[in-house]
Amino acid sequence: MALAGRRDGPLMLRSGGGGKPLSRGSRIAVAVAVGIGLGCICAFLYPDGLFRPSASALQWSRNVDSTACESSGQVTNLKSQLASLERKNAELRRQNDELSMKLQLAGQGKDETLYKAGPFGTVKALRTNPTLIPDESVNPRLAKILEEVAVKKELIVALANSNVREMLEVWFTNIKRVGIPNFLVVALDDNIESFCKSKGVPVYRRDPDEGIDNIAKTGGNHAVSGLKFRVLREFLQLGYSILLSDIDIIFLRNPFDHLYRDSDVESMSDGHNNMTAYGFNDVFDEPSMGWARYAHTMRIWVYNSGFFYIRPTIPSIELLDRVAYRLSHEKAWDQAVFNEELFIPSRPGYEGLHASRRTMDIYLFMNSKVLFKTVRKDAQLKKLKPVIVHLNYHPDKLDRMKAVVEFYVNGKQDALQRFPDGSE
């Protein structure tokens, strides 16, 4: 049976016993009042709140407070770790540099990098080979000496034994007078080592080496001169550029102010004028060839192996190795071998040295032939003050060295006149 009068819809609150429904505003007021009442009851029954923090949360809060207290110690520890990492990073960079250099050396002659040429007249090839990565493990004792003596990783080096003691004193006396601080004598015997120390001259005595010591103690000028190619290798490996000097040289100015440093080897010349020192086209005449009788050749007088500046590069090391090897296996003059290795080109069956070179100004870095044959007889050239004078062309070296000092240092104008052009 169906219920009569049934109404679908929301429940209607009614007031009192009557059937009149409450208004919308009254219903909201009743709900707010009920909510406030329930809140008061909960506050009384649960003073710490309905949801208390767990034990783990409380422990975490305590740990945070403890961490804050210990933060200064951790910062110190982190700084220490950072410093350690920076040191490791520096070592890794050094190792990377070494590996890069080894990779570069392994790939010599195999470089397939392509370059685009610039406009006409603007193209320039690479001029200067990169310097070696210094390796102090080669000779820690020498490395320490060079660190104290060298200026900007450069120094003058000379080898000497007791046979040249008097010339050596003239040599270093004039270096000191000019005010050149970066020079070093490689003593080849005990007497020279003691002599240099007594004069306040920087000196280095190599560790015993029977193969070298026998020549060093008893050898003449040429024999001792050949040793320098073996001795200098360690200097280059340690990363230093060396101005190699024989003892029969007078220093009048600081040579480091007059170097270009754009080549592996920068050397004084045995040439006596612009043609012979810097190169010229020499014509060879062979009449039997008829129309082709004249053959053009390029000539240059040799570099002097007693005074040259050498940079710490791979070609420089190779040059020293080649010359030292040949001198130990054949009877030859070190200067001839030095020039052959520098200038003879590659050919079938022979790989030439790929080293860059520069010829020094013959009036600044003057040999004794230029001085006695030309300069002393020319009123204008006599006014020029060279950087060095090398008494390489004459056997009476000490006497002429003293005369050069009299002329250029003491101003004695006739100091050079008593000598012949050549040797007697």
Side-chain angles (χ1 to χ4, degrees):
M1 176 178 180
L3 295 176
R6 179 179 178 181
R7 297 178 61 186
D8 294 329
L11 177 64
M12 302 296 291
L13 292 177
R14 301 179 181 273
S15 63
K20 185 178 179 179
L22 295 175
S23 66
R24 177 181 178 84
S26 298
R27 292 199 302 271
I28 293 174
V30 171
V32 170
V34 171
I36 292 173
L38 289 173
C40 291
I41 293 171
C42 289
F44 178 77
L45 296 176
Y46 304 99
D48 294 328
L50 291 172
F51 304 100
R52 299 183 62 184
S54 64
S56 60
L58 291 174
Q59 182 63 36
W60 177 83
S61 177
R62 295 189 192 98
N63 289 341
V64 169
D65 293 340
S66 175
T67 299
C69 294
E70 298 173 358
S71 61
S72 60
Q74 289 181 336
V75 168
T76 302
N77 185 44
L78 288 173
K79 287 182 177 179
S80 176
Q81 293 180 21
L82 180 60
S84 176
L85 289 173
E86 288 176 345
R87 288 193 296 270
K88 291 180 180 179
N89 189 42
E91 175 62 19
L92 289 173
R93 284 199 301 268
R94 186 188 67 78
Q95 294 177 10
N96 181 65
D97 290 341
E98 290 181 355
L99 290 174
S100 297
M101 177 61 72
K102 291 178 181 178
L103 183 61
Q104 175 187 341
L105 298 179
Q108 281 186 347
K110 304 175 183 178
D111 187 5
E112 298 180 356
T113 303
L114 300 178
Y115 297 93
K116 184 177 180 180
F120 177 81
T122 65
V123 177
K124 297 290 184 184
L126 295 177
R127 294 293 193 269
T128 307
N129 283 305
T131 57
L132 292 168
I133 298 173
D135 183 5
E136 292 190 3
S137 66
V138 170
N139 191 330
R141 184 168 66 88
L142 177 59
K144 185 177 181 180
I145 294 173
L146 296 182
E147 187 177 354
E148 296 173 353
V149 174
V151 175
K152 296 180 179 179
K153 305 288 284 188
E154 298 177 322
L155 72 158
I156 300 167
V157 173
L159 280 67
N161 62 16
S162 296
N163 294 336
V164 294
R165 173 171 171 160
E166 195 171 357
M167 281 197 296
L168 176 64
E169 185 168 15
V170 177
W171 179 84
F172 65 65
T173 298
N174 282 277
I175 287 180
K176 288 184 174 183
R177 178 187 52 77
V178 174
I180 304 170
N182 48 329
F183 72 100
L184 180 71
V185 174
V186 178
L188 300 177
D189 57 45
D190 295 336
N191 290 333
I192 287 297
E193 181 182 16
S194 300
F195 176 64
C196 288
K197 289 181 177 179
S198 69
K199 298 292 184 178
V201 171
V203 63
Y204 164 65
R205 182 72 191 278
R206 299 181 72 258
D207 292 333
D209 185 321
E210 183 177 352
I212 293 179
D213 292 344
N214 288 336
I215 299 174
K217 294 177 181 178
T218 61
N221 287 344
H222 286 315
V224 171
S225 184
L227 290 178
K228 62 193 169 211
F229 298 99
R230 293 178 62 179
V231 173
L232 286 182
R233 194 185 204 277
E234 290 183 342
F235 288 77
L236 299 192
Q237 286 182 276
L238 293 172
Y240 290 84
S241 295
I242 301 301
L243 185 58
L244 189 280
S245 172
D246 279 353
I247 300 303
D248 57 341
I249 291 176
I250 296 296
F251 286 79
L252 300 168
R253 297 157 70 182
N254 192 327
F256 294 107
D257 296 336
H258 302 276
L259 297 175
Y260 285 82
R261 301 174 176 85
D262 63 349
S263 304
D264 297 305
V265 177
E266 193 168 343
S267 178
M268 73 172 296
S269 171
D270 271 3
H272 59 91
N273 55 28
N274 287 348
M275 287 180 57
T276 56
Y278 309 137
F280 63 102
N281 183 8
D282 186 37
V283 179
F284 176 79
D285 183 12
E286 190 175 5
S288 64
M289 286 298 295
W291 175 82
R293 65 182 290 179
Y294 301 110
H296 290 258
T297 70
M298 289 301 301
R299 297 189 62 185
I300 183 173
W301 286 32
V302 296
Y303 283 175
N304 191 288
S305 63
F307 191 87
F308 60 85
Y309 177 81
I310 186 166
R311 295 177 56 248
T313 66
I314 289 297
S316 296
I317 293 284
E318 185 180 1
L319 171 64
L320 297 180
D321 288 352
R322 285 184 176 215
V323 176
Y325 177 83
R326 285 188 56 187
L327 292 175
S328 65
H329 287 79
E330 59 187 80
K331 189 175 182 180
W333 182 26
D334 71 280
Q335 181 161 291
V337 175
F338 176 68
N339 280 271
E340 288 170 3
E341 294 299 334
L342 269 177
F343 286 98
I344 292 179
S346 299
R347 62 178 186 271
Y350 174 76
E351 182 71 21
L353 181 71
H354 298 276
S356 57
R357 53 194 182 270
R358 170 181 281 274
T359 306
M360 292 177 171
D361 187 315
I362 61 172
Y363 294 110
L364 293 180
F365 299 91
M366 190 182 299
N367 63 57
S368 55
K369 182 174 182 178
V370 172
L371 175 61
F372 287 98
K373 282 202 68 175
T374 305
V375 171
R376 68 170 176 168
K377 302 174 185 179
D378 188 296
Q380 294 302 316
L381 291 178
K382 285 175 67 175
K383 297 178 183 178
L384 298 176
K385 188 174 185 178
V387 176
I388 62 109
V389 174
H390 189 178
L391 283 303
N392 59 314
Y393 270 100
H394 299 88
D396 49 340
K397 297 179 181 298
L398 183 58
D399 199 14
R400 294 193 187 230
M401 288 175 71
K402 293 177 179 179
V404 169
V405 174
E406 287 294 321
F407 180 76
Y408 283 110
V409 178
N410 300 327
K412 189 176 180 180
Q413 294 302 302
D414 62 347
L416 304 175
Q417 299 310 312
R418 62 188 177 89
F419 298 97
D421 288 353
S423 58
E424 294 178 340

